[in-house]
Amino acid sequence: MDMTRLRSLLYLPANRPSAIAKAHTLAVDAVILDLEDAVQPDAKPDARAAAVAAVIDGGWGDRVLFLRVNGIGTPWHGDDLAAAQTQGFAGIVVPKVDTAAEATDVVDRAGGRPVLAMIESPAGVLNAAAIAATPGVAGLIAGMADLAKALNCGADANRMPLLYSLSIIVLAARAAGIACFDGVCTEYRNEAAFRAEAGQGKLLGFDGKTLIHPSQVDPGNAVFSPSADDLAKARAMIAAYQAALEAGRGVATLDGQMVEILHVEQARRLLARA
């Protein structure tokens, strides 16, 4: 499975049947059944059982299912990893992965399931390349709320204090050839703010975005899907380059811009993603 094709990944509390039922009706690419932040400590065993039941019951169509387990070192972590090996889960989302050693330990106990490592701390950012390079880690997820708290940085609509960290996560994922997903936008009632943040994430190079509310699914898919103009330009680039080759030239121009083979490769990837 090519996880770089996922545009929208929606967190759902695993112990909320109404939220799980709603997810069956959404055009979301992936659902992350959450056992961590969204579930109170005394409810975690029941939430784990509910997550397993939800994946066994099926009816998810083409939606990809992940389980977000509780963090390394918590009393629920081991049982959560065992539950994540239930047939139907495509992978495991692990919060607060700070080192490659932690990533390796999770992978070793993941039963062959791909691991999406959440980068949520200064240590995680600084070790992102090593975490991404760990065999079995299939993607990185930016966890900016916890990182912002750890950095003691100010709140900013443009996420200026976090741009370095976001870029490091993208660089680490690309160097390792794995997927990377932007963090959540908490302003779920403000579509304009969400689209602006998602657009920034796409500009930085993220494959898709994690979501916290059903209202974010459609705009998230729209932002991370190639537009009609993008597709038209990609086709024009390929045609211009092909015409140049037929004329004995290795470089083409389109609308006053040089078109080389690297641009053609990017255009073909865009068409394949569409």
Side-chain angles (χ1 to χ4, degrees):
M1 174 189 158
D2 183 1
M3 292 194 185
T4 65
R5 301 292 179 92
L6 300 178
R7 304 162 297 173
S8 52
L9 299 87
L10 176 65
Y11 289 108
L12 290 178
N15 60 343
R16 285 187 55 193
S18 61
I20 292 173
K22 174 71 174 178
H24 285 269
T25 70
L26 301 173
V28 69
D29 289 346
V31 170
I32 303 172
L33 296 177
D34 190 9
L35 303 180
E36 196 214 11
D37 285 346
V39 180
Q40 294 296 317
D42 59 353
K44 290 185 186 290
D46 288 344
R48 185 188 307 120
V52 170
V55 72
I56 291 174
D57 288 345
W60 293 99
D62 293 332
R63 300 169 191 85
V64 179
L65 282 185
F66 296 97
L67 185 68
R68 177 159 78 163
V69 301
N70 286 282
I72 299 162
T74 66
W76 312 282
H77 182 68
D79 288 338
D80 290 350
L81 285 178
Q85 295 171 37
T86 303
Q87 186 66 33
F89 283 119
I92 306 170
V93 176
V94 182
K96 301 176 180 66
V97 178
D98 288 345
T99 66
E102 290 182 348
T104 298
D105 179 65
V106 171
V107 168
D108 287 346
R109 295 190 291 147
R113 290 283 188 273
V115 170
L116 299 183
M118 297 193 69
I119 306 300
E120 302 186 81
S121 70
V125 171
L126 294 175
N127 293 318
I131 294 168
T134 302
V137 173
L140 302 181
I141 297 177
M144 293 296 100
D146 282 285
L147 179 61
K149 178 182 176 183
L151 294 176
N152 195 30
C153 63
D156 179 79
N158 295 318
R159 302 195 291 183
M160 289 296 293
L162 300 171
L163 288 182
Y164 176 80
S165 299
L166 290 166
S167 294
I168 286 290
I169 292 169
V170 174
L171 283 165
R174 293 294 171 252
I178 63 174
C180 55
F181 304 106
D182 196 3
V184 300
C185 175
T186 57
E187 293 193 60
Y188 65 89
R189 297 183 185 276
N190 186 339
E191 183 173 328
F194 173 82
R195 283 181 175 270
E197 186 172 299
Q200 181 194 55
K202 182 180 180 181
L203 184 66
L204 289 171
F206 285 101
D207 296 303
K209 190 166 180 65
T210 50
L211 316 173
I212 58 167
H213 194 270
S215 65
Q216 298 175 328
V217 171
D218 289 342
N221 285 341
V223 169
F224 283 95
S225 296
S227 69
D229 288 344
D230 292 335
L231 297 177
K233 184 174 182 180
R235 294 188 181 99
M237 278 188 177
I238 294 170
Y241 188 76
Q242 188 61 40
L245 289 181
E246 292 171 359
R249 294 177 283 111
V251 177
T253 58
L254 178 67
D255 299 330
Q257 293 185 334
M258 185 178 293
V259 179
E260 299 179 279
I261 186 61
L262 66 93
H263 302 114
V264 173
E265 290 170 352
Q266 288 175 321
R268 287 174 177 156
R269 283 200 298 269
L270 186 75
L271 293 173
R273 182 178 176 85

